[in-house]
Amino acid sequence: MALSPTFSPPVCFKKNTTFSPKTPKFHKPTTKTPTQTLSAIPPISTSADLSAVAVPFDGTTLAVIGGSSVAALAAVLSLTDPERRRQLQAEEVGGGDKEVVKEYFNNSGFQRWKKIYGETDDVNKVQLDIRLGHAKTVENVMKMLTDEGSLEGVTVCDAGCGTGCLSIPLAKQGAVVTASDISAAMVAEAEKQAREELLSGKDDGLPAPLMPKFEVKDLESLDGKYHTVVCLDVLIHYPQSKADGMIAHLASLAEKRLILSFAPKTFYYDLLKRVGELFPGPSKATRAYLHAEADVERALQKVGWRIRKRGLITTQFYFAKLVEAVPA
């Protein structure tokens, strides 16, 4: 069940599937691939950027600070408390985690992630690295799906579609795609990009691919039955207590296959995440929950599913476990 500790390719899948993905195809950015040392938990479909650097305070430093300065320092440190910060965010939008996520991805988060998922050169080194990582995830999901034959007419639910990074290539392969996201802004952008890529400029005499059906929905509201359900980088917004129920719900929608990617929970990643949360930066707006592969596997087993393929996708700032589950 554990992955090999050494990976030569960026992705390594166990059990009857091993491959090294090609470099994702998009316009080559002018920014070079980052080489700096990892300083915080890699963001996976979340708002956290790795731009803050910890500044240590020791006893000597505090001893030379006056009383008023200590009070000011205490106030600053209190603002870095992640739970307090998120409580204030939740109060502002009148709800909990879901409302914060929805508000973020309809506003500042939409602009940030539209840029990361796109092809613009206007990205920093961390954002470029995340773009590469997410593109590798999409590429390898597509390989998982096409390895077993044509996708022509296969019904696929893309749960948490973002700007359509997976929905569009699925449609190009002939899949009948239902795509949804909690963010209306993301859904609108996904539909716009799908129309541009799937319907515009068709002059080869061949029928245009079937447009995905785009909907504004959270995971809990999804219904229907699909041959395959895919949910990439969304579980990071759910604590394990809720993730179990969400995994069960997604499995209930799938008839043959469920593909999930999630931020892996290990001692190392969890420690980096905790350090990163102390220094929020302007873009850390939502919680980021990590999940142990064993917990995800147990949640699947409870509803009669088993993991058939599993792997780890990594770049310098992007880490995602990828699993394909089928009915046991």
Side-chain angles (χ1 to χ4, degrees), residues 247-273:
I247 291 171
H249 177 58
L250 292 172
S252 73
L253 306 176
E255 295 177 333
K256 300 295 183 181
R257 183 166 46 191
L258 172 62
I259 296 176
L260 302 170
S261 72
F262 53 93
K265 182 177 178 64
T266 66
F267 174 79
Y268 176 66
Y269 295 155
D270 191 48
L271 177 61
L272 292 178
K273 173 179 176 290

Side-chain angles (χ1 to χ4, degrees), residues 1-21 44 133 136-137 140-141 144 232-233 258-266 269 291-294 296-297 300 307-315 318-325:
M1 297 188 348
L3 287 168
S4 170
T6 303
F7 293 90
S8 297
V11 184
C12 178
F13 279 91
K14 284 187 139 188
K15 195 168 184 179
N16 302 326
T17 175
T18 301
F19 53 88
S20 299
I44 304 178
K136 288 176 181 177
T137 298
N140 285 286
V141 168
M144 272 183 169
L232 302 183
D233 300 347
L258 172 62
I259 296 176
L260 302 170
S261 72
F262 53 93
K265 182 177 178 64
T266 66
Y269 295 155
H291 299 286
E293 183 179 349
V296 172
E297 186 162 21
L300 288 165
I307 294 179
R308 180 169 63 174
K309 300 176 185 176
R310 63 186 84 214
L312 175 67
I313 297 172
T314 68
T315 61
Y318 177 100
F319 293 79
K321 293 301 292 281
L322 185 61
V323 300
E324 179 194 66

Side-chain angles (χ1 to χ4, degrees), residues 60-284:
T60 304
T61 305
L62 293 176
V64 298
I65 298 178
S68 59
S69 297
V70 170
L73 177 61
V76 171
L77 291 177
S78 69
L79 290 176
T80 68
D81 176 66
E83 287 306 315
R84 176 59 179 160
R85 185 172 71 252
R86 288 160 184 154
Q87 286 176 9
L88 293 174
Q89 291 167 343
E91 290 171 4
E92 287 177 3
V93 300
D97 277 359
K98 184 191 296 186
E99 288 72 20
V100 171
V101 170
K102 182 177 181 179
E103 174 72 14
Y104 175 77
F105 284 104
N106 272 322
N107 294 286
S108 61
F110 166 67
Q111 295 300 329
R112 174 177 295 274
W113 288 96
K114 175 186 174 183
K115 182 168 65 174
I116 291 174
Y117 292 151
E119 298 180 348
T120 175
D121 292 346
D122 184 26
V123 288
N124 61 37
K125 291 182 178 181
V126 173
Q127 292 169 336
L128 172 59
D129 188 84
I130 297 167
R131 176 189 291 176
L132 291 168
H134 185 263
K136 288 176 181 177
T137 298
V138 171
E139 182 178 3
N140 285 286
V141 168
M142 288 299 299
K143 182 165 179 58
M144 272 183 169
L145 295 172
T146 56
D147 272 350
E148 297 188 4
S150 170
L151 292 178
E152 192 73 35
V154 175
T155 56
V156 181
C157 173
D158 183 7
C161 65
T163 58
C165 299
L166 177 65
S167 298
I168 294 171
L170 282 172
K172 287 180 178 179
Q173 291 291 325
V176 180
V177 183
T178 299
S180 62
D181 199 280
I182 194 173
S183 164
M186 286 287 191
V187 169
E189 178 63 21
E191 187 164 14
K192 173 178 173 291
Q193 291 192 21
R195 290 188 180 280
E196 291 175 355
E197 292 196 39
L198 300 177
L199 303 183
S200 299
K202 291 295 293 182
D203 56 3
D204 53 11
L206 298 176
L210 182 66
M211 271 285 293
K213 177 184 177 182
F214 290 103
E215 301 176 309
V216 180
K217 284 185 175 182
D218 55 36
L219 296 188
E220 293 89 338
S221 302
L222 296 178
D223 55 11
K225 283 289 185 180
Y226 308 89
H227 177 280
T228 298
V229 174
V230 183
C231 185
L232 302 183
D233 300 347
V234 179
L235 290 178
I236 197 166
H237 300 301
Y238 291 84
Q240 190 61 49
S241 58
K242 293 184 178 179
D244 286 357
M246 195 48 52
I247 291 171
H249 177 58
L250 292 172
S252 73
L253 306 176
E255 295 177 333
K256 300 295 183 181
R257 183 166 46 191
L258 172 62
I259 296 176
L260 302 170
S261 72
F262 53 93
K265 182 177 178 64
T266 66
F267 174 79
Y268 176 66
Y269 295 155
D270 191 48
L271 177 61
L272 292 178
K273 173 179 176 290
R274 290 174 184 273
V275 171
E277 283 184 331
L278 296 176
F279 304 90
S283 65
K284 274 188 184 172

Side-chain angles (χ1 to χ4, degrees), residues 12-63:
C12 178
F13 279 91
K14 284 187 139 188
K15 195 168 184 179
N16 302 326
T17 175
T18 301
F19 53 88
S20 299
K22 299 178 182 178
T23 303
K25 295 181 180 179
F26 42 71
H27 298 309
K28 184 178 181 181
T30 56
T31 310
K32 294 182 180 179
T33 303
T35 57
Q36 65 264 39
T37 303
L38 182 66
S39 60
I41 185 68
I44 304 178
S45 189
T46 170
S47 57
D49 255 357
L50 307 186
S51 55
V53 179
V55 180
F57 291 93
D58 56 24
T60 304
T61 305
L62 293 176

